[in-house]
Amino acid sequence: MSDEPLAHLDTHVEELLAAVEALNSLEELIASEPSLVGKRSVLSSLQKSLGSLSPEERRDAGARLQEARRRVDEALRVRRVALEQAARDAELAADYLDLGDVVAGGVEVPLGVGHPGIVALTQYALEEVFVGMGFRVEDGPEVESDWYNFEALNIPPAHPARGMWDTFYLELGEPESVVLRTHTSPTQIHLMERAVAENSLPLHAVMPGRCYRRDTPDARHLASFHQIEGIVVDRGITFADLAGTIDTFTRAYFGPDIDSRLRPGYFPFTEPSAEFEITCTLCRGEGCRTCSQTGWIELGGCGMIDPAVFDAVGIDAGEWSGFAFGFGIDRCAQMRHEIADMRALIENDVRFLRQFS
Ligand code: PHE
């Protein structure tokens, strides 16, 4: 009997390993450690029982017991590492900050978008159409001398046509006043002067930009608005080129079911001159308040460049001919996006602006 103190060692070891495996938390492990491998454990009491064995038997039994203890210790070590890892994972999971939740429960930060009426969206879309048709994009100053805004455009001082533009004067000067440009046409003059100086005719360019008129804003007019000017100076240019350009542009920008038409008009810097109208997109030509029941909306003016303008910039009207046009970018935005009242473009009502995001 006394030589068999380790008769059930394997069973004890199996039980101990199963108990280690069943430990579910670090706390449980720490609490169970004394009973598994401590002084009151089975292995320790078996150790004590070896005293009754002969020295040789004791050596063998001691080695077996030591191996048993090593297996249980190792199982405990592995279990401890696993439980520590699990505890760390749980801690991290509890700490995890889901930014999605934060945003969902927090303040929404809306992304800005380009403004539909001013330069941004509409201007870029218009530029794209004209660049596709072979025009360059240029710009010019918003503050002009009287000469660029009027005189070079064949509008001498005191000419009755000056009444066509209610002008903001920055300085009433002699001989020259300084004005906020009332249209983008003065940029035509700058470009033609430059082309002459650089000897770089022909010229095909569009010039978008802000203009100013001393107007009372209404459903179709703003005191500060945007135009896009176009100019072509080349050999053999005719009115048919102008009409074709306007029509190609209208269909490309507004779509195939919107028509353009040219009505006889008057501008001192073009001859002949025309007013450029398109089908009212709000009523599709039926007639509505926005188009004053006509079914048509005036976008701008155009015509063949007057020889007096060529004279002013030093272009030989015998060799070169050309056309120019200018129309409202804001008006285009109004028609394209079917905005009944143009003042909505400058009122900064975010509910209005959000529709374009
Ligand atoms: N500048 C003119 C306007 O604003 C429009 C226009 C441009 C007319 C070019 C003819 C040629 O009223």
Side-chain angles (χ1 to χ4, degrees), residues 83-343:
L83 289 173
E84 276 170 357
Q85 183 62 48
R88 178 89 186 115
D89 286 350
E91 210 175 294
L92 287 177
D95 254 8
Y96 177 68
L97 184 61
D98 186 343
L99 289 179
D101 288 347
V102 172
V103 172
V107 181
E108 186 189 342
V109 182
L111 289 177
V113 293
H115 194 289
I118 55 172
V119 272
L121 297 183
T122 307
Q123 180 181 318
Y124 299 154
L126 292 170
E127 286 176 6
E128 210 167 295
V129 170
F130 283 113
V131 166
M133 291 167 71
F135 289 83
R136 264 191 351 238
V137 180
E138 300 278 358
D139 58 24
E142 290 176 27
V143 176
E144 289 284 13
S145 67
D146 189 277
W147 193 80
Y148 282 98
N149 198 77
F150 293 121
E151 273 189 68
L153 289 162
N154 198 28
I155 316 168
H159 190 286
R162 287 197 176 212
M164 292 169 70
W165 299 276
D166 288 310
T167 309
F168 284 112
Y169 287 88
L170 294 182
E171 229 172 77
L172 264 176
E174 287 291 337
E176 281 236 323
S177 302
V178 176
V179 302
L180 290 180
R181 67 175 174 192
T182 57
H183 49 181
T184 40
S185 298
T187 308
Q188 284 182 34
I189 303 297
H190 288 290
L191 292 192
M192 285 190 281
E193 281 181 338
R194 201 166 81 202
V196 168
E198 293 171 352
N199 197 20
S200 63
L201 286 175
L203 174 62
H204 306 82
V206 289
M207 302 141 259
R210 194 188 283 270
C211 304
Y212 304 84
R213 285 187 202 171
R214 211 152 40 74
D215 271 339
T216 305
D218 64 24
R220 280 175 303 173
H221 300 89
L222 300 173
S224 163
F225 59 100
H226 299 77
Q227 281 191 336
I228 184 162
E229 189 87 7
I231 187 171
V232 169
V233 178
D234 207 335
R235 294 185 176 89
I237 296 295
T238 69
F239 197 89
D241 296 313
L242 167 58
T245 300
I246 297 283
D247 206 55
T248 304
F249 156 75
T250 303
R251 285 168 204 290
Y253 182 71
F254 291 102
D257 51 333
I258 297 299
D259 280 330
S260 69
R261 71 175 186 184
L262 298 180
R263 294 202 308 155
Y266 171 72
F267 297 99
F269 32 94
T270 46
E271 180 58 35
S273 300
E275 267 159 26
F276 156 27
E277 298 184 338
I278 62 162
T279 315
C280 177
T281 59
L282 288 145
C283 62
R284 302 268 142 185
E286 298 286 310
C288 66
R289 258 184 54 207
T290 304
C291 62
S292 308
Q293 311 303 331
T294 63
W296 293 93
I297 286 281
E298 190 197 319
L299 271 196
C302 58
M304 302 305 290
I305 296 172
D306 194 290
V309 174
F310 279 147
D311 262 2
V313 294
I315 289 178
D316 178 1
E319 185 182 356
W320 303 94
S321 59
F323 63 77
F325 57 83
F327 56 87
I329 295 178
D330 317 75
R331 191 66 65 75
C332 283
Q334 179 179 29
M335 285 297 115
R336 171 92 174 244
H337 301 293
E338 300 174 30
I339 299 163
D341 192 319
M342 203 132 104
R343 285 167 290 194

Side-chain angles (χ1 to χ4, degrees), residues 27-49:
E27 295 74 36
E28 239 182 274
L29 184 145
I30 290 161
S32 310
E33 224 176 350
S35 68
L36 292 170
V37 290
K39 283 193 190 107
R40 302 227 173 83
S41 67
V42 194
L43 294 179
S44 294
S45 46
L46 287 174
Q47 182 78 46
K48 281 170 203 149
S49 66

